[in-house]
């Protein structure tokens, strides 16, 4: 069933939905929707608040509320980490000051106060387990001196905003107070067991007390503390909020309310315009279900959603009230799938890596261990070549959906549909065909469908070239392809390995290099097929700059960014100094960068990569890059790290582009932040900029002697009244010379001898006027036609993809293929099958793979290529992809060798082809 949205926000084309119970009270849904605007990848956690074993918790850094970390690390460091089965990022935060915008409440304890910005709402659950979303209207914190009845108003709890303010810090903040390192005019009053134990005026930071707190005041607010409190005074802390924290079990901040009482709001208090990755939380009308949602965005396939679209999605998912959470690069959901022990990232991260965030909202399964409920089989590939092996893994879960350890040796394995044998949990098929693997354990059964294939024609090993350091390792993978284009992974245990002495060894699909520089070629064999891995072990390392002296200057973009580059002795990895790059991005709401610009920094010989030590404690997860210029004047950007988010020193590396020509000039090394919302300041240290020169290969890979001949590439006779032939060609245009006229006249003569003709692209009118037989031109529009026992579908991808050209084609196509009853199908496209949206391209191919499997139809995809130098046929998963050559290619053609056409012969669902010369040499 389609998840239809109102107000025509999206027009639905296709949907996949997978639902899994990951506890008695939590359901995980993965919904992939193809729409007129692209793809929506939705990850949904439905949380039943009536389930006694299900609870929610707020995730914060183990270092304190003042620190950020990735969602997976926030979950892993939580005291109940083993019980967490899912989590989502939560509150917006001030990237400059590293503080949440909203409050955090746990079991009526105010962990940190709200900034009381009316743009930001809060998600709350009271002690009766009733969830609600609202804007906090009161956050009043006071400290009363019981000795003189003076009442001190406190601006914030556990927030970094201390300028002319009073702030309360406790152990939830972190390890230490601010002290005079954060402000030159500061007082810190220590309160332990409701008594003032110390008043520190402009002193160093101290460790925060376990049974108390610290009152921090600066500037004019400082006098309020010094004039009204003294050591030994008894004090009482009072916190008033609306809603009342005494009645709250949990609260965490978010953005705007986007859905209220079942209605999508017209205006948002925090209006983040445009389509972006989104995170959100919804509550159903009965207030007994929480819905956590992420929407992927900022990729070629996933455009993301607006806040209005987000609200409509939640409405259709069953939400009655909803709040927008922090999104963009922060959007993330982690889930522990059924039977798994570890949390996994569920969505596609728009930055390609986890962003460090302030907090998250987790759901826990607190149910006790119980008896086994079910088992699950998994393996890395359902296709298996006859005579090779496939390892099957088994996972179990109990009646409360907790994972259970299962030893595969205790499982009874069997197979049906094909012949084969098991060696423990590894299966070796002996015959081809569809089979079903069955596992039985303590009365529970699970099955897994497999496809045993044969006739491998090609063996591929990846990577086929390895440059690796000594005492290092890299994962290898092997794939074989058969004569119908079906692929299957091959375990390296099933291959014959020939490894030269001294370069290393292969263990469990992993190459482990030797301890000395060397090189050689590993040969891997499957039956009579061979593949090779060129390996070079070890690098020669040359330090280009030890940063003992200054060789660069500071530059910023834009000019509002301030900072400095200097040689510093504060932190160093080696020697006496390092380079220190200081930056301040806090005043620029756009892309920004801080550069070290070098003068005449040349690298005479091209290295394989560059590396350097980076002290990243205050790198704030920014992107560390470099810029090179080669001898041809070409500029190249290199990436050392997309996320400088580590503490202390770490060595990072950047590959030097293969097409860069030495000598090279290092122009700059820099930190960049493309996210306009991230505003902060900090610094990094760098040391020992190093060039790595690879070991060289001393042998060449032998040429393959295997030649694949497509069994369909033969001449066939017409067998009965349903048989027919047709000519196929690409564009035929630019008919402007006497030779062109001669050639199209001959093409027309051949076409008129056919039963039907197919042209994948545009055809000049001069040729169309000469053809008397039926023809199909794959140019503009979409349609289906039938000729005898074959169907021809014409689609238009001229604007990049089918959807981008006209999304209505998809709706029509998916409906049309349901009713195809032909034995052969030819799909015609005017442009190559290279969609801008690779997920759409995958759907296109899978649509016809499914059709072939379900109806046993012989499927051919015919595409036009404007720049093809030849006709080409590729076989993938039983479908043949045909690239049709266009005319003309260029002037001064060799007409005997270059003027060709394709001749297809169709015999009741079995299609053959020939690539024929129009002219023969005499």
């Amino acid at each position: 069933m389609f998840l239809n949205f109102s107000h025509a926000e999206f027009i639905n084309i296709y949907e996949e939905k997978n639902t899994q119970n990951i506890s008695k009270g939590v359901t995980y849904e993965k919904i992939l929707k193809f729409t007129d605007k692209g793809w929506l990848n939705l990850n949904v956690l439905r949380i039943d608040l009536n389930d006694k074993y299900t609870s929610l918790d707020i995730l914060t850094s183990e270092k304190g509320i003042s620190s950020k970390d990735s969602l997976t690390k926030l979950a892993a460091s939580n005291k109940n980490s083993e019980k967490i089965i899912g989590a989502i990022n939560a509150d917006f935060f001030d990237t400059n000051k590293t503080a949440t915008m909203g409050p955090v409440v746990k079991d009526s304890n105010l962990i940190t106060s709200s900034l009381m910005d009316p743009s930001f709402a809060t998600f709350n659950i009271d002690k009766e387990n009733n969830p609600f979303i609202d804007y906090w209207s009161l956050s009043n914190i006071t400290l009363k001196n019981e000795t003189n009845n003076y009442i001190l108003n406190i601006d914030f709890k556990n927030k970094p905003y201390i300028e002319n303010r009073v702030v309360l810090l406790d152990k939830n903040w972190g390890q230490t107070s601010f002290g005079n390192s954060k402000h030159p005019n500061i007082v810190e009053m220590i309160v332990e067991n409701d008594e003032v134990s110390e008043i520190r005026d402009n002193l160093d930071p101290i460790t925060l007390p376990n049974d108390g707190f610290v009152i921090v005041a600066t500037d004019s607010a400082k006098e309020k503390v010094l004039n009204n409190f003294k050591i030994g005074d008894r004090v009482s802390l009072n916190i008033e909020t609306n809603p009342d924290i005494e009645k709250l079990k949990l609260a965490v901040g978010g953005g705007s309310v986007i859905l209220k009482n079942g209605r999508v709001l017209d205006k948002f208090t925090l209006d983040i315009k445009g389509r972006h990755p989104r995170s959100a939380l919804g509550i159903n009308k009965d207030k007994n279900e929480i819905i956590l949602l992420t929407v992927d965005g900022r990729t070629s396939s996933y455009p993301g959603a607006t806040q209005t679209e987000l609200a409509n999605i939640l409405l259709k998912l069953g939400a009655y009230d909803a709040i927008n959470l922090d999104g963009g690069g922060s959007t993330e959901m982690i889930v522990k799938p059924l039977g798994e022990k570890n949390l996994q990232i569920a969505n596609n991260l728009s930055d390609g890596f986890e962003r460090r965030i302030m907090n998250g909202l987790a759901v826990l399964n607190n149910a006790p261990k119980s008896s086994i409920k079910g088992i699950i089989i998994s393996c890395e590939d359902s296709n298996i070549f006859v005579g090779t092996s496939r390892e099957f893994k088994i996972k179990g879960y109990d009646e409360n959906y907790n994972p259970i350890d299962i030893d595969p040796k205790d499982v009874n394995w069997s197979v049906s549909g094909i012949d084969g044998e098991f060696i423990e949990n590894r299966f070796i098929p002996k015959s081809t065909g569809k089979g079903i693997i069955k596992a039985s354990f303590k009365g529970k059964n699970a099955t897994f469908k497999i496809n045993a294939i044969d006739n491998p024609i090609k063996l591929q090993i990846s990577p086929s070239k390895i440059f690796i350091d000594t005492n290092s390792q890299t994962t290898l993978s092997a794939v074989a392809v058969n004569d119908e284009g079906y692929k299957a992974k091959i375990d390296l245990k099933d291959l014959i390995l020939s490894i030269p002495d001294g370069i290393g060894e292969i263990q469990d699909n992993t190459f482990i290099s030797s301890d000395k520089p060397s090189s050689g070629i590993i040969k891997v064999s499957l039956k009579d097929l061979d593949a090779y891995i060129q390996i070079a072990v070890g690098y020669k390392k040359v330090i280009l700059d030890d940063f003992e002296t200054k060789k660069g200057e500071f530059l910023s973009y834009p000019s509002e960014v301030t900072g400095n580059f200097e040689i510093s002795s504060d932190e160093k990895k080696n020697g006496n100094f390092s380079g220190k790059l200081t930056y301040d991005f806090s005043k620029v709401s756009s892309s920004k960068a801080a550069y070290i610009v070098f003068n005449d920094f040349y690298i005479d010989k091209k290295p394989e990569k560059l590396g350097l030590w980076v002290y990243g404690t205050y790198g704030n997860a920014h992107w560390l890059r470099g810029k090179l210029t080669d001898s041809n004047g070409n500029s190249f950007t290199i990436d050392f790290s997309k996320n400088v988010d580590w503490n202390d020193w770490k060595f990072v590396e950047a590959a030097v582009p293969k097409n860069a020509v030495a000598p090279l000039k290092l122009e700059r090394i820099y930190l960049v932040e493309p996210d306009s919302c991230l505003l902060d300041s900090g610094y990094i240290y760098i040391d020992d900029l190093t060039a790595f020169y690879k070991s060289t290969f001393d042998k060449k890979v032998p040429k393959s002697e295997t030649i694949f001949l497509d069994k369909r590439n033969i001449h066939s006779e017409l067998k009965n009244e349903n048989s027919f032939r047709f000519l196929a060609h690409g564009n035929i245009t630019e008919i402007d010379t006497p030779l062109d006229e001669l050639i199209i006249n001959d093409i027309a003569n051949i076409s008129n001898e056919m039963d039907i003709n197919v042209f994948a692209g545009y055809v000049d009118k001069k040729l169309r006027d000469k053809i008397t037989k039926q023809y199909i031109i794959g140019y503009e529009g979409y349609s289906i036609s039938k000729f005898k026992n074959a169907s021809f579908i014409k689609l238009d991808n001229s604007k990049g993809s089918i959807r981008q050209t006209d999304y209505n084609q998809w709706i029509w196509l998916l409906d049309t293929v349901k009713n195809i009853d032909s034995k052969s199908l030819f799909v015609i496209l005017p442009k190559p099958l290279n969609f801008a949206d690779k997920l759409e391209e995958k759907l296109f191919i899978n649509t016809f793979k499914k059709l072939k499997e379900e109806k046993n139809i012989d499927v051919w995809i015919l595409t036009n290529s404007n720049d093809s130098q030849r006709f080409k046929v590729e076989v993938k998963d039983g479908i043949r992809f045909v690239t049709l050559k266009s005319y003309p290619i260029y002037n001064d053609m060799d007409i005997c060798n270059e003027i060709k056409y394709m001749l297809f012969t169709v015999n009741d669902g079995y299609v053959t082809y020939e690539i024929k010369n129009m002219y023969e040499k005499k």
Side-chain angles (χ1 to χ4, degrees):
M1 179 181 293
F2 275 136
L3 183 66
N4 292 306
F5 301 129
S6 62
H7 309 304
E9 297 288 349
F10 298 96
I11 296 175
N12 298 290
I13 296 173
Y14 169 84
E15 179 177 317
E16 294 176 6
K17 181 178 178 180
N18 294 303
T19 301
Q20 186 180 72
N21 292 322
I22 56 175
S23 76
K24 282 188 174 180
V26 180
T27 302
Y28 170 53
E29 298 173 0
K30 190 168 186 66
I31 304 169
L32 182 64
K33 293 178 56 62
F34 187 41
T35 77
D36 62 316
K37 296 178 177 64
W39 292 86
L40 284 172
N41 193 40
L42 313 179
N43 286 279
V44 182
L45 285 172
R46 294 185 181 273
I47 303 164
D48 182 3
L49 294 179
N50 291 330
D51 181 69
K52 63 180 180 179
Y53 291 125
T54 299
S55 65
L56 294 173
D57 193 11
I58 300 171
L59 303 177
T60 56
S61 171
E62 61 181 339
K63 299 175 184 176
I65 199 74
S66 59
S67 297
K68 297 185 293 184
D69 218 330
S70 67
L71 185 60
T72 53
K73 290 181 180 178
L74 293 180
S77 63
N78 186 275
K79 65 179 181 180
N80 294 312
S81 59
E82 291 187 358
K83 297 180 180 180
I84 296 173
I85 56 175
I88 193 172
N89 68 291
D91 201 359
F92 291 80
F93 54 93
D94 182 340
T95 57
N96 188 38
K97 291 292 188 179
T98 315
T100 60
M101 305 304 292
V104 172
V105 176
K106 291 186 179 184
D107 297 323
S108 299
N109 180 21
L110 183 65
I111 305 301
T112 184
S113 58
S114 170
L115 293 182
M116 297 306 292
D117 186 325
S119 301
F120 298 87
T122 300
F123 166 69
N124 316 268
I125 298 181
D126 66 20
K127 291 185 176 179
E128 302 301 319
N129 220 30
N130 297 309
F132 62 97
I133 299 166
D134 206 349
Y135 294 86
W136 278 33
S137 61
L138 176 66
S139 180
N140 186 27
I141 307 173
T142 59
L143 184 71
K144 181 179 180 181
N145 188 335
E146 299 293 346
T147 303
N148 58 18
N149 292 324
Y150 177 79
I151 295 176
L152 176 68
N153 291 313
I154 299 171
D155 294 285
F156 299 114
K157 180 179 181 182
N158 289 329
K159 287 285 194 280
Y161 306 104
I162 59 175
E163 292 79 6
N164 201 28
R165 290 188 176 98
V166 178
V167 175
L168 183 152
L169 300 180
D170 64 13
K171 271 293 187 182
N172 290 304
W173 170 253
Q175 292 298 313
T176 61
S177 65
F178 294 123
N180 56 16
S181 63
K182 291 294 183 182
H183 200 281
N185 187 23
I186 189 170
V187 65
E188 295 185 326
M189 180 173 68
I190 317 305
V191 176
E192 296 179 277
N193 298 314
D194 298 327
E195 183 176 301
V196 177
S197 61
E198 186 179 1
I199 297 177
R200 301 169 59 82
D201 192 1
N202 288 327
L203 297 180
D204 293 336
I206 63 162
T207 300
L208 294 170
N210 291 319
D211 299 315
F213 49 86
V214 174
I215 299 296
V216 180
T218 66
D219 299 329
S220 61
K222 175 179 174 181
E223 303 306 315
K224 298 176 183 178
V225 174
L226 293 175
N227 294 338
N228 295 285
F229 294 88
K230 64 181 185 300
I231 295 173
D233 284 350
R234 299 290 296 175
V235 296
S236 57
L237 182 68
N238 183 56
I239 300 176
E240 294 179 285
T241 64
N242 186 16
D244 186 356
I245 62 165
E246 295 298 326
K247 298 179 180 180
L248 293 181
K249 179 163 55 175
L250 175 150
V252 66
S256 175
V257 173
I258 57 175
L259 184 65
K260 189 172 182 64
N261 297 329
R263 184 179 67 84
V264 177
L265 299 188
D266 297 325
K267 294 183 179 180
F268 305 115
T269 54
L270 182 65
D271 193 2
I272 304 172
K273 297 184 181 299
R275 288 196 173 96
H276 301 283
R278 300 283 185 175
S279 300
L281 179 151
I283 304 169
N284 72 342
K285 187 174 183 179
D286 294 333
K287 298 189 180 301
N288 58 12
E289 182 181 72
I290 300 295
I291 302 169
L292 303 181
L293 167 70
T294 62
V295 182
D296 288 350
R298 294 180 184 170
T299 73
S300 59
S301 293
Y302 307 122
T306 66
Q307 285 193 127
T308 299
E309 290 166 348
L310 182 68
N312 275 296
I313 292 171
L314 281 160
L315 184 65
K316 289 300 178 181
L317 288 170
Y320 194 67
D321 298 291
I323 183 174
N324 180 41
L325 302 174
D326 190 14
S330 298
T331 287
E332 183 176 3
M333 180 181 287
I334 54 177
V335 173
K336 187 181 292 181
L338 186 63
E340 296 286 352
K341 291 186 175 182
N342 298 318
L343 291 160
Q344 301 174 7
I345 298 173
N347 65 310
N348 294 289
L349 305 175
S350 64
D351 290 343
F353 56 85
E354 288 186 274
R355 179 176 289 180
R356 295 194 305 166
I357 56 177
M358 295 299 298
N359 57 32
L361 183 64
V363 56
L364 283 67
N365 180 11
N366 302 296
K369 302 289 185 181
S370 61
S371 59
I372 188 168
K373 179 181 177 67
I375 58 176
I376 302 169
I377 302 175
S378 65
C379 80
E380 61 179 355
D381 191 350
S382 60
N383 284 348
I384 316 174
F385 273 99
V386 171
T388 66
S389 66
R390 180 74 71 238
E391 180 183 15
F392 290 88
K393 297 180 180 180
I394 195 82
K395 296 174 287 188
Y397 55 96
D398 66 16
E399 294 289 343
N400 290 322
Y401 296 89
N402 295 303
I404 292 178
D405 289 324
I406 297 178
D407 189 338
K409 295 179 182 179
D410 297 331
V411 177
N412 181 37
W413 299 92
S414 62
V415 65
S416 60
I418 58 173
D419 297 327
E421 64 174 342
F422 278 95
I423 301 175
E424 295 182 349
N425 60 323
R426 299 185 75 86
F427 175 67
I428 304 172
K430 302 296 185 182
S431 64
T432 61
K434 305 286 185 180
I436 297 177
I437 300 294
K438 181 179 179 181
S440 301
F441 177 78
K442 293 185 177 181
K444 305 300 179 182
N445 300 313
T447 59
F448 190 95
K449 293 180 180 179
I450 61 170
N451 181 29
I453 58 179
D454 209 351
N455 302 321
I457 62 166
K458 189 176 184 180
L459 178 64
Q460 300 169 321
I461 190 82
S462 180
S464 59
K465 279 189 175 183
I466 297 176
F467 300 104
I468 189 171
D469 210 348
T470 54
N471 296 312
S472 300
Q473 62 184 43
T474 187
T475 301
L476 303 174
S477 62
V479 174
V481 186
N482 76 356
D483 56 350
E484 281 296 311
Y486 291 100
K487 293 182 177 181
K489 292 184 178 181
I490 306 292
D491 195 305
L492 267 66
K493 294 176 182 177
D494 298 321
L495 300 174
I496 298 173
L497 306 176
S498 177
I499 306 174
D501 294 336
I503 67 169
E505 60 181 345
I506 293 177
Q507 295 181 3
D508 298 325
N509 298 317
T510 300
F511 173 73
I512 304 170
S513 64
S514 62
D515 58 356
K516 296 179 181 179
S518 58
S519 66
I521 295 176
I522 294 178
K523 179 182 177 181
V524 297
S525 302
L526 174 69
K527 297 183 179 179
D528 59 348
L529 301 175
D530 298 326
Y532 301 89
I533 311 171
Q534 286 182 295
I535 294 181
V537 177
Y539 292 91
K540 178 184 177 183
K541 303 175 184 178
V542 177
I543 294 179
L544 303 176
D545 190 352
D546 57 10
F547 294 95
E548 296 296 304
T549 58
K550 186 177 179 183
K551 297 179 182 178
E553 301 295 334
F554 178 80
L555 180 68
S556 68
Y557 173 82
S559 58
E560 290 81 2
V561 171
T562 58
N564 185 42
F565 174 65
E566 60 183 324
I567 298 300
S568 172
S569 61
D570 295 343
E571 295 285 348
K572 59 266 187 186
K573 182 62 183 177
N574 294 303
N576 298 316
F577 301 96
S578 66
K580 182 179 182 181
L581 175 63
T582 306
Y583 64 90
D584 186 348
F585 291 161
S586 64
K587 300 178 179 64
V588 179
S589 298
S590 60
S591 295
K592 49 257 181 190
Y595 302 91
I596 305 169
V597 179
F598 298 100
N599 295 318
D600 298 327
F601 195 132
Y602 287 96
I603 306 171
D604 293 332
K605 183 181 176 183
K606 178 184 172 182
E608 181 73 11
K609 57 185 178 179
L610 297 176
L612 73 162
W613 286 99
V614 179
Y615 185 88
T617 305
Y618 301 98
N620 290 323
H622 297 307
W623 195 350
L624 183 62
R625 314 188 80 182
K627 181 182 178 182
L628 294 169
T629 302
D630 74 358
S631 59
N632 292 331
N634 299 313
S635 294
F636 302 92
T637 301
I638 57 176
D639 294 321
F640 289 101
S641 175
K642 289 190 174 181
N643 198 13
V644 181
D645 62 350
W646 55 85
N647 292 321
D648 214 335
W649 288 96
K650 179 180 177 181
F651 195 78
V652 295
E653 298 174 352
V656 175
K658 295 185 182 299
N659 56 336
V661 180
L664 306 175
K665 182 180 181 182
L666 180 61
E667 301 278 359
R668 57 189 64 181
I669 293 174
Y670 60 100
L671 281 175
V672 61
E673 180 50 63
D675 192 331
S676 60
C677 297
L678 293 181
L679 309 175
D680 58 25
S681 60
Y683 52 85
I684 61 170
Y685 297 93
I686 59 177
D687 209 350
D688 285 356
L689 176 64
T690 305
F692 291 79
Y693 296 95
K694 63 186 179 183
S695 299
T696 57
F697 296 125
D698 56 5
K699 293 182 180 180
K700 292 184 178 181
V701 172
K703 290 185 178 180
S704 174
E705 297 180 359
T706 303
I707 299 175
F708 169 61
L709 299 175
D710 188 356
K711 61 187 177 183
R712 300 289 192 96
N713 185 197
I714 58 171
H715 174 76
S716 298
E717 298 295 334
L718 299 176
K719 294 184 177 181
N720 55 45
E721 67 276 5
N722 287 322
S723 301
F724 66 95
R725 288 194 173 100
F726 69 89
L727 173 147
H729 206 285
N731 283 334
I732 299 181
T733 58
E734 300 179 29
I735 310 303
D736 51 16
T737 70
L739 177 60
D740 295 335
E741 296 281 357
L742 172 65
I743 290 172
I744 68 159
N745 190 65
D746 291 336
I747 293 175
N749 289 336
I750 297 172
S751 298
N752 290 331
E753 294 174 359
M754 300 293 143
D755 298 291
I756 189 172
N757 298 278
V758 172
F759 300 94
Y762 180 78
V763 177
D764 193 286
K765 185 176 184 300
K766 292 178 181 180
L767 175 58
R768 282 183 277 137
D769 290 342
K770 294 177 182 292
I771 299 176
T772 59
K773 290 294 184 70
Q774 181 180 347
Y775 59 81
I776 299 170
I777 297 179
Y779 179 76
E780 294 184 347
Y782 54 97
S783 63
I784 183 171
S785 57
K786 190 170 183 180
F787 190 87
K788 295 188 177 182
N789 277 338
S791 291
F792 294 82
I793 288 179
K794 186 176 77 167
L795 297 165
D796 190 355
N797 65 332
S798 59
K799 295 182 180 179
S801 75
I802 294 173
R803 178 189 65 83
Q804 289 174 318
T805 305
D806 181 357
Y807 71 86
N808 288 294
Q809 295 181 95
W810 266 112
I811 299 171
W812 172 85
L813 174 63
L814 294 176
D815 184 62
T816 297
V817 295
K818 296 176 185 176
N819 303 313
I820 290 179
D821 57 1
S822 305
K823 294 184 178 181
S824 303
L825 173 64
F826 301 90
V827 183
I828 305 161
L829 296 172
K831 292 288 185 180
L833 187 59
N834 185 22
F835 293 177
D837 178 352
K838 293 306 176 185
L839 205 56
E840 181 185 357
E841 184 176 315
K842 181 180 178 182
L843 175 62
F844 177 85
I845 295 172
N846 287 343
T847 298
F848 294 105
K849 282 175 58 178
K850 181 180 178 183
L851 182 66
K852 178 179 178 61
E853 292 169 1
E854 293 180 350
K855 298 187 177 183
N856 195 30
I857 295 175
D858 195 9
V859 179
W860 297 68
I861 311 294
L862 312 180
T863 63
N864 180 65
S865 179
N866 293 329
D867 57 359
S868 175
Q869 297 297 309
R870 61 187 177 90
F871 292 93
K872 184 170 65 175
V873 180
E874 294 181 282
V875 191
K876 298 177 183 177
D877 295 322
I879 297 175
R880 279 168 172 76
F881 296 82
V882 181
T883 301
L884 296 173
K885 181 177 177 179
S886 296
Y887 176 90
I889 300 300
Y890 49 80
N891 294 326
D892 301 324
M893 295 174 289
D894 180 352
I895 64 172
C896 292
N897 290 322
E898 296 178 29
I899 307 301
K900 301 175 184 288
Y901 64 96
M902 286 192 73
L903 175 64
F904 286 85
T905 302
V906 183
N907 281 306
D908 275 342
Y910 191 82
V911 181
T912 60
Y913 67 92
E914 301 168 73
I915 301 173
K916 298 179 71 70
N917 290 321
M918 282 188 59
Y919 305 102
E920 301 292 341
K921 287 185 178 180
K922 295 182 180 179

